[in-house]
Amino acid sequence: MIISRYHNTAPLSIGVEFLTPCFLGGADQNAELRAAPFKNLLRQWWRVAVGSHYSDPQKMLAAEGDLFGSVLDDNKASASKVRLDLTLGGQFKVEQNGLNFGQTRHPEVGQHGMNVSNALYLGYGPVEYDRQTRSAKSKKYIAPGSKAKLTLDLPKNNIPEMLLVLAYIDAFGVIGSRCRNGWGSLALSGNDFSRESLAIFNAKNWQELVNGARQYPTHLGKDGKGLLCWALKEPPQNWKDAMKALAEMYMELRTSINIAPNGLQKRHILGYPVTHHNIGDWGGSNGRMPSQLRLVVKRDEKNQLVGRILHLPHKLPKPWNLNVEQETVWQEIHQRLDKNSALRRCGGA
């Protein structure tokens, strides 16, 4: 008798709604729904939702590989126990226009500052500046309001943890190019899924995470005021209002941190590269370090749109040789977000 790895499994059927434009596609740059990025999204948030319970990184990686498959060790390579299927919803659309949601004055562009497109600021790469029209143009994207059905088939004993992973994705998950800047924000739904309050999510002291050994997210962060997550006080009317507000706040936050012409500076902690401020031992012009701050557009427990700024702390993967401690810089950033009158803390203490 042959018993496959899909023996004693059960399905989960989840509705997926794209809340903001999503730059997701293949090598030809055409927007399309693809399963591989969703598999990666599940693994990312499994590490935070479930992997955080493993004190030993090797045990965590072994558990992750056992469920999702692994090729780290040829002698122990395993296939995924999770089958994933994506189907288009009736409202699924691909578009290329309509990314105009205003401009914000950037004090560091040009000699005396100038207005820049919010879409270009948040989406540089898939969004480009068109010199002829003097406006932003974009690659094709999955349009906001598009829907899909995600079906997961997995071992029955893993279903509770997978539901927790899905709750994290619904609260904080994004997908596709420039997703840390709000693009590709998702909301989940369905009979097999219920949205959770942010107060239920476990978090760990952020300073322990910044000074820890893992250079990737494994926990949500918190301080004495609660979860390191800030939400717009005023519910946005639509995704453009949410993205516009997040772009303005993020630009104000970054430019409020002074940066000198040369050498490592405080602002580098928010992500790398920084235009015209390359660091040799960070890889120069070829170095990359994603920001630990994530901008997301979500639905709350009342199913209303909300914009959030999340700090997902972990060890910095680049050498920090500045004479100011990382914790001091992050504390300054947290304080600036706390003092922003348009934001509020969300989640439990």
Side-chain angles (χ1 to χ4, degrees):
M1 180 176 65
I2 299 176
I3 300 177
S4 77
R5 63 181 183 276
Y6 300 117
H7 175 70
N8 199 27
T9 63
L12 290 174
S13 182
I14 307 296
V16 178
E17 178 188 9
F18 291 88
L19 299 178
T20 62
C22 178
F23 298 103
L24 187 68
D28 59 2
Q29 303 298 314
N30 286 320
E32 62 179 328
L33 197 64
R34 301 176 63 240
F38 278 87
K39 291 178 181 178
N40 185 52
L41 185 67
L42 290 172
R43 294 184 80 135
Q44 286 179 37
W45 286 101
W46 180 93
R47 291 187 177 187
V48 178
V50 181
S52 58
H53 301 303
Y54 292 87
S55 58
D56 183 346
Q58 295 305 315
K59 290 183 178 179
M60 184 205 76
L61 291 174
E64 178 185 335
D66 181 64
L67 179 61
F68 292 105
S70 174
V71 293
L72 294 177
D73 188 337
D74 291 338
N75 296 321
K76 298 179 181 178
S78 60
S80 175
K81 294 179 180 177
V82 180
R83 285 190 293 183
L84 185 152
D85 183 59
L86 276 169
T87 54
L88 302 182
Q91 302 177 33
F92 191 89
K93 293 189 300 181
V94 170
E95 296 180 352
Q96 192 167 13
N97 300 310
L99 289 189
N100 178 25
F101 46 94
Q103 296 182 335
T104 300
R105 187 163 187 81
H106 195 304
E108 298 174 355
V109 176
Q111 290 185 339
H112 306 290
M114 62 181 294
N115 291 337
V116 299
S117 162
N118 291 324
L120 182 62
Y121 181 73
L122 292 180
Y124 183 74
V127 182
E128 300 174 339
Y129 180 71
D130 189 333
R131 295 185 179 276
Q132 290 185 338
T133 63
R134 295 185 178 182
S135 62
K137 66 175 183 179
S138 75
K139 298 177 181 177
K140 291 182 179 180
Y141 56 84
I142 298 173
S146 294
K147 295 184 178 180
K149 179 181 177 182
L150 172 66
T151 303
L152 302 173
D153 196 71
L154 67 158
K156 292 179 180 178
N157 62 324
N158 292 112
I159 285 182
E161 67 182 52
M162 186 59 70
L163 288 172
L164 182 60
V165 173
L166 292 169
Y168 275 81
I169 291 173
D170 180 67
F172 309 112
V174 283
I175 196 167
S177 181
R178 297 298 181 268
C179 62
R180 292 172 190 253
N181 284 356
W183 308 102
S185 293
L186 305 172
L188 306 183
S189 61
N191 294 333
D192 293 335
F193 176 81
S194 59
R195 181 163 294 127
E196 300 287 355
S197 165
L198 297 194
I200 69 102
F201 295 114
N202 290 325
K204 189 173 183 178
N205 182 283
W206 69 271
Q207 292 170 315
E208 294 182 41
L209 300 172
V210 168
N211 293 309
R214 305 190 198 187
Q215 298 179 355
Y216 50 86
T218 56
H219 292 78
L220 296 178
K222 68 176 181 179
D223 62 9
K225 297 181 180 180
L227 193 66
L228 294 182
C229 184
W230 295 260
L232 301 177
K233 285 184 179 178
E234 293 295 326
Q237 296 298 309
N238 50 54
W239 71 267
K240 288 187 175 182
D241 286 349
M243 292 284 280
K244 180 177 185 292
L246 292 174
E248 292 171 349
M249 291 178 185
Y250 193 44
M251 189 184 301
E252 179 185 3
L253 176 66
R254 289 184 64 91
T255 56
S256 68
I257 304 173
N258 291 332
I259 187 162
N262 300 303
L264 183 65
Q265 304 294 325
K266 290 181 180 179
R267 196 187 298 180
H268 286 105
I269 207 169
L270 287 175
Y272 187 81
V274 178
T275 306
H276 305 310
H277 295 85
N278 290 339
I279 305 298
D281 57 0
W282 281 33
S285 60
N286 296 317
R288 295 292 182 271
M289 186 187 75
S291 176
Q292 295 181 24
L293 286 187
R294 302 193 181 194
L295 314 180
V296 300
V297 179
K298 290 293 173 178
R299 292 196 181 278
D300 62 15
E301 295 93 320
K302 298 179 181 179
N303 209 39
Q304 294 179 322
L305 280 183
V306 61
R308 292 174 181 155
I309 300 176
L310 175 71
H311 178 200
L312 197 56
H314 54 83
K315 182 180 178 181
L316 206 67
K318 303 289 187 180
W320 186 257
N321 301 320
L322 200 61
N323 58 0
V324 178
E325 296 293 333
Q326 291 182 53
E327 297 98 301
T328 302
V329 182
W330 280 119
Q331 283 174 339
E332 292 177 5
I333 293 170
H334 298 162
Q335 288 169 2
R336 290 181 185 277
L337 292 170
D338 282 332
K339 290 178 180 178
N340 190 318
S341 60
L343 293 171
R344 61 175 176 82
R345 282 287 187 115
C346 48

